[in-house]
Amino acid sequence: MRRRFWIATVLALCCGDGAVAQEFPARTVTMIVPSAPGGTLDALGRLMAQGMAETLGQNVVVENVSGAGSIVGMQRLVRSAPDGYTIGFGNLGSLAANVAITKELGFDPRKDLTPIGIVANVPMVIAASNKSGARDLGTLLARIRERGDGVTFGTPGTGTTGHLAPAYLLSLTRLQATLVPYRGAGPAMSDLASGTVDAVIDQTVTMIPAHRGGTARALAVTGSRRLAQLPDVPTFAEAGVPEFDMVIWNAIVGPRDIPAPAARRLGEAVEAALASPAVASRFAELATTAPAPEERGPEVLRRRIAADVERWIQVVKDAGITPQ
């Protein structure tokens, strides 16, 4: 009996990591997307889930958990079992800036998450409704100067990048307008198309289809050069606001303390998905770029989260935004 016990113990010690790595995943993986369907997080999350599933050999099912500007979904992720079977797809807002704009976040992204990797960098686009009459950024800003709170920006929810962006722009231009929060980018874009709100600032994944489809008019893009997908749309610098430059990183994380073998396996699936021609082609269509391999791993993401928490605490302070 004692001999069998020691043999089992030695085998467990010698082969434990390998056994876990071989066994994971043995069932479906759930990816929490902390937003409503139809926005950038949802589109990119589903694209990555499909690509990762091919490598993992198991389904990766997206679960949209919207509310409180991504906080509800992130809290669900943080409280989930740290076994690798629940992961999350977040971005600069949900994984860093929310610390600066939310009084009681309920978790600290610097401590309560397992970084898996950065998967995409996405420029921002400001677009106006066709009913607003704004043909360019200068016209929209002039209208805000004239009407103030009478001009409305739809946002995907308080604390999201689509909320921080117009707040930051208004701070830079010393203007004031009304920010109207929705439960995700999809509902905000619907009201932009109907003219219920005057403008939205969101990532290219959401805004390029709206501009091309004629449901809204893109006025300016972030970044140092125009986008090939929107060649007729100037940069913010060309449009007269060079200080406004937000490019949004999107990343995959898990709850704290995911076993290292499972985290490595998830990271391998991320890398395989990013190498997929289907993912690369879709990224190109949406003006989205994957970081270079050395700029997207778990330690890089850990540092990025910490740095952007500090950066946005300062930005929010300088902008005079009151944490909610």
Side-chain angles (χ1 to χ4, degrees), residues 48-74:
M48 289 301 299
Q50 182 177 357
M52 292 173 67
E54 295 179 10
T55 297
L56 294 174
Q58 297 285 346
N59 290 330
V60 180
V61 177
V62 170
E63 180 183 356
N64 293 94
V65 184
S66 62
S70 80
I71 294 175
V72 174
M74 291 306 302

Side-chain angles (χ1 to χ4, degrees), residues 10-320:
V10 170
L11 286 174
L13 290 172
C14 293
C15 305
D17 261 16
V20 172
Q22 290 175 358
E23 292 173 2
F24 180 86
R27 53 185 171 84
T28 296
V29 174
T30 297
M31 176 186 286
I32 292 176
V33 173
S35 70
T40 299
L41 276 181
D42 182 59
L44 292 180
R46 290 179 186 277
L47 186 62
M48 289 301 299
Q50 182 177 357
M52 292 173 67
E54 295 179 10
T55 297
L56 294 174
Q58 297 285 346
N59 290 330
V60 180
V61 177
V62 170
E63 180 183 356
N64 293 94
V65 184
S66 62
S70 80
I71 294 175
V72 174
M74 291 306 302
Q75 288 178 341
R76 171 87 64 87
L77 174 67
V78 167
R79 294 167 184 163
S80 65
D83 53 13
Y85 286 98
T86 303
I87 57 177
F89 194 90
N91 63 18
L92 165 66
S94 54
L95 298 177
N98 252 338
V99 175
I101 204 166
T102 307
K103 285 183 178 179
E104 298 182 6
L105 191 57
F107 68 96
D108 186 336
R110 294 165 291 187
K111 301 176 182 178
D112 297 326
L113 297 172
T114 297
I116 304 298
I118 302 172
V119 301
N121 292 319
V122 190
M124 301 286 277
V125 181
I126 183 171
S129 76
N130 293 321
K131 291 184 178 180
S132 72
R135 307 297 295 175
D136 52 44
L137 182 60
T139 304
L140 178 63
L141 294 179
R143 185 155 301 176
I144 296 172
R145 286 190 192 93
E146 177 186 345
R147 301 182 183 177
D149 289 342
V151 176
T152 54
F153 280 85
T155 83
T158 302
T160 63
T161 56
H163 167 83
L164 292 167
Y168 188 31
L169 175 64
L170 293 168
S171 172
L172 289 171
T173 54
R174 300 183 182 279
L175 297 174
Q176 186 171 351
T178 298
L179 304 187
V180 182
Y182 290 83
R183 291 178 67 90
M189 293 303 294
S190 293
D191 271 9
L192 181 68
S194 69
T196 303
V197 293
D198 297 306
V200 167
I201 306 180
D202 205 356
Q203 298 173 65
T204 52
V205 176
T206 302
M207 306 305 272
I208 287 177
H211 180 77
R212 287 178 172 173
T215 58
R217 180 181 182 85
L219 307 180
V221 301
T222 60
S224 59
R225 63 186 67 182
R226 295 191 183 195
L227 302 177
Q229 298 81 356
L230 296 173
D232 57 328
V233 179
T235 65
F236 272 87
E238 291 174 323
V241 190
E243 304 87 354
F244 184 80
D245 192 15
M246 288 179 66
V247 175
I248 309 302
W249 52 265
N250 295 258
I252 293 176
V253 296
R256 183 175 59 186
D257 296 332
I258 287 180
R264 284 196 298 269
R265 185 71 177 135
L266 290 167
E268 292 166 359
V270 167
E271 290 299 315
L274 292 176
S276 161
V279 171
S281 175
R282 186 63 176 148
F283 272 21
E285 290 175 7
L286 298 171
T288 296
T289 58
E294 65 273 14
E295 297 174 353
R296 63 188 185 218
E299 289 309 312
V300 174
L301 176 54
R302 190 185 305 278
R303 293 194 297 270
R304 177 66 66 85
I305 290 172
D308 272 337
V309 165
E310 295 305 317
R311 178 198 172 201
W312 280 93
I313 286 174
Q314 190 61 49
V315 168
V316 166
K317 181 180 178 181
D318 291 345

